[in-house]
Amino acid sequence: MGVPRTEKPWEFLNDYRGKVFKGQWPTLPEMYKITVSRFGDRRCFTIFDPDRITLTYNEAIKKIEAIARWLHSKGIRRGDRVAVSGKNAPEWSVAYLAVLFAGGTVVPIDYQLRNDEIELLVKTAGARILFIDEEKIDYFTEKKGGLEEIISLRKGVGKYIYDLDGPEAEIEQAVETDLAAILFTSGTTGIPKGVMLTHKNLVSDCYLAQGTPLIVLHTDVFYAILPIHHSYTMLAVFIETISTGAEVVFGKKMVTSQILKDLKEAQVTMLLGVPMLFNKVLAGIMRGLKAKGPVVYGILSFLMSISGMIKKVFKVNPGKKMFGFVLEKASLSSVRICISGGGPLAPSVFRKYNQLGIDFVQGYGLTETSPIIAINPIEQYKETSVGRTCPGVDMKILNPDERGVGEVIVKGSMVMLGYYNLPEETKAAFTQDGYLKTGDLGYMDSENYLYLTGRAKNMIVTEGGKNVYPEEIENEFQLFDEIDQIMIRGYALDSKMKTEGIEALVYPNPEFKNAKGEKPSAEETKTRIENIIHELNQRLQPYQKINRTVILDKPLEMTTTKKIKRGEVTK
């Protein structure tokens, strides 16, 4: 199930301390240089465009250093901000690292935002130069907006990133406590909040996350399908890759058929995604098994349960051999580890992947913690937990109730400096004794495994005074093909008493077919959704029962990591 390890994954850094870096942790450029010295000829950044284009570590560092020299020639100095906004690609990664090699601070921005929203974030961060995909070059070239240079991450329009170079220069490098990146957590409504992360935050989190233990090998191939500007993909895919000498393959579209094609062609071994992705892939697998008929499906389901029990009890993984034909057909045969993050995953989904022989774990974190602070160990996973705290994480539960549920608070080397130019918001984010308040509610067991119940701001207070966490209920719906999106929320029962009922907003799966293989009528769909709600209500606690259902005719707006934007939906 894993590779035995006798040393911590960061102990090899001792051989480079005092030579390549000083202090406790290397900076990101120093970490990359160490990897180049160890695995320079290994593939680093790959994309199928449509043909395979790859940069080795040696090839990438030449481009990175050339662009860093160009940035220096344009006046970028230690701490200056440079923004990067574009689709996942080697050029994005090279630009990100080049900013850091120039001593600057990188500002990764969600490419799916509108041009004026990107412009606002660029101005808020005080970025002087912008790297962006060619489709948006014209807008920013025309607007300028205080930017000194706009560089294209694609060939075709304006200055192309790989054509940049500058004269040799003595570039003042950042130190581990310097600001490495400013990540805007969400919205552009109101004042944008930029999370300030240092080199120490990101590098320490990268290595400490591997100490759960999560074995990352230099022969691994990561798949970057989620937007790389997001802290989850940036750390868990991009930075983890370059810390170990692994390869990252950039996916283009969040389309299941394209993803499965990429997985097979690239022979991906590390697949990181959000629950929505894993739910869709699993739903396809289970449909294929059910199509074999009830007898065969019953036998396979029984064998899956046996496989899961053997894995859990005896710490060996028979599923890879038992269900090799299933994994091959699903393009998952090369996958060594799957990691789900960015939102809660139903334990039933977690369980089925492990039964099929894939080492499947989930983790937890937030942008303000770089982001990883808990991961389920592969050999000691708990299906209902989001993971055990990583080494170096000091986690507590603030003001726990009778269930032990309270707000999760943390300290550690991965916790942010604060919000950029927002001292009051920064102060409000921490307790008086310096713990970051995550805004998430949960409880911990005696082995430091964390169990989340929901977001503090989403909590529903029922007529009986019970606290209900919407995410706990939503998890129960993850394996129903008929439902594409569901959001559980409270609605006012008594405004004076501030009590709430529980309603479900449901957007049906537009691709779902009825028993005849036809698209169901609106009435059929409504009846089926109501039956699912009724079925789930029988399993829920009395105070959790859904007492109002709203069928939506259009999908709810989602973030780029496929989470519903709750604040966008009015009650």
Side-chain angles (χ1 to χ4, degrees), residues 209-257:
Q210 296 176 42
T212 33
L214 174 67
I215 312 296
V216 181
L217 309 172
H218 74 274
T219 51
D220 274 321
V221 179
F222 284 75
Y223 186 54
I225 185 59
L226 300 174
I228 202 169
H229 77 274
H230 190 274
S231 60
Y232 174 38
T233 312
M234 183 187 303
L235 192 288
V237 178
F238 172 52
I239 295 176
E240 288 288 0
T241 292
I242 62 175
S243 77
T244 57
E247 176 186 8
V248 59
V249 173
F250 297 98
K252 283 185 171 183
K253 300 175 182 175
M254 184 70 90
V255 176
T256 307
S257 58

Side-chain angles (χ1 to χ4, degrees), residues 169-359:
E170 286 291 325
I171 297 176
E172 183 184 9
Q173 293 296 308
V175 298
E176 65 176 317
T177 53
D178 281 352
L179 194 57
I182 300 174
L183 275 62
F184 288 97
T185 54
S186 65
T188 51
T189 54
I191 300 171
K193 284 167 68 174
V195 174
M196 297 189 292
L197 299 176
T198 66
H199 288 269
K200 182 178 181 178
N201 289 153
L202 293 167
V203 173
S204 68
D205 195 49
C206 162
Y207 286 113
L208 293 170
Q210 296 176 42
T212 33
L214 174 67
I215 312 296
V216 181
L217 309 172
H218 74 274
T219 51
D220 274 321
V221 179
F222 284 75
Y223 186 54
I225 185 59
L226 300 174
I228 202 169
H229 77 274
H230 190 274
S231 60
Y232 174 38
T233 312
M234 183 187 303
L235 192 288
V237 178
F238 172 52
I239 295 176
E240 288 288 0
T241 292
I242 62 175
S243 77
T244 57
E247 176 186 8
V248 59
V249 173
F250 297 98
K252 283 185 171 183
K253 300 175 182 175
M254 184 70 90
V255 176
T256 307
S257 58
Q258 181 63 48
I259 291 169
L260 297 181
K261 182 175 180 290
D262 287 348
L263 295 181
K264 181 169 284 190
E265 195 166 350
Q267 288 294 288
V268 168
T269 64
M270 301 287 285
L271 177 58
L272 287 79
V274 291
M276 180 183 178
L277 168 64
F278 291 116
N279 290 341
K280 285 190 173 184
V281 172
L282 182 61
I285 292 173
M286 300 312 290
R287 273 197 303 272
L289 296 182
K290 287 176 182 176
K292 295 180 181 296
V295 175
V296 174
Y297 177 69
I299 293 170
L300 290 173
S301 296
F302 174 72
L303 291 175
M304 283 173 63
S305 64
I306 296 296
S307 167
M309 183 193 70
I310 292 171
K311 188 175 184 188
K312 193 104 173 157
V313 175
F314 298 104
K315 314 298 183 190
V316 294
N317 184 0
K320 274 275 187 182
K321 289 184 178 178
M322 291 171 66
F323 301 104
F325 69 99
V326 176
L327 299 178
E328 180 65 36
K329 191 169 184 181
S331 301
L332 296 175
S333 59
S334 66
V335 174
R336 199 168 63 80
I337 299 174
C338 285
I339 302 177
S340 180
L345 182 80
S348 55
V349 177
F350 193 170
R351 187 180 308 117
K352 280 185 167 61
Y353 274 102
N354 276 294
Q355 288 174 345
L356 286 167
I358 290 178
D359 286 334

Side-chain angles (χ1 to χ4, degrees), residues 64-187:
I64 291 163
E65 290 177 334
I67 299 160
R69 290 193 296 270
W70 179 85
L71 288 167
H72 186 268
S73 74
K74 294 297 177 180
I76 296 299
R77 298 293 183 267
R78 181 177 166 190
D80 287 346
R81 273 84 62 210
V82 176
V84 181
S85 183
K87 297 185 283 291
N88 290 5
E91 287 92 338
W92 190 103
S93 305
V94 167
Y96 180 103
L97 289 169
V99 175
L100 300 176
F101 269 68
T105 298
V106 66
V107 185
I109 297 176
D110 184 352
Y111 187 71
Q112 294 184 27
L113 294 175
R114 298 191 314 267
N115 288 339
D116 62 314
E117 293 173 328
I118 293 174
E119 185 182 10
L120 173 61
L121 299 186
V122 167
K123 286 180 178 177
T124 301
R128 295 171 51 192
I129 292 174
L130 171 65
F131 291 93
I132 196 162
D133 276 358
E134 63 179 32
E135 300 96 306
K136 301 195 176 188
I137 284 282
D138 288 345
Y139 175 89
F140 287 95
T141 301
E142 184 180 324
K143 295 278 293 190
K144 211 70 175 176
L147 287 165
E148 297 166 19
E149 295 277 355
I150 297 118
I151 308 301
S152 177
L153 293 175
R154 296 281 192 281
K155 270 190 174 178
V157 180
K159 290 182 181 177
Y160 176 52
I161 181 172
Y162 285 171
D163 294 333
L164 304 179
D165 201 350
E168 292 293 335
E170 286 291 325
I171 297 176
E172 183 184 9
Q173 293 296 308
V175 298
E176 65 176 317
T177 53
D178 281 352
L179 194 57
I182 300 174
L183 275 62
F184 288 97
T185 54
S186 65

Side-chain angles (χ1 to χ4, degrees), residues 429-459:
F430 289 87
T431 63
Q432 287 190 334
D433 53 351
Y435 283 83
L436 174 74
K437 295 186 283 187
T438 67
D440 286 315
L441 297 170
Y443 61 95
M444 297 173 70
D445 67 16
S446 59
E447 296 181 293
N448 282 335
Y449 283 76
L450 175 65
Y451 302 78
L452 292 183
T453 55
R455 293 287 292 170
K457 63 183 179 182
N458 298 336
M459 188 176 71

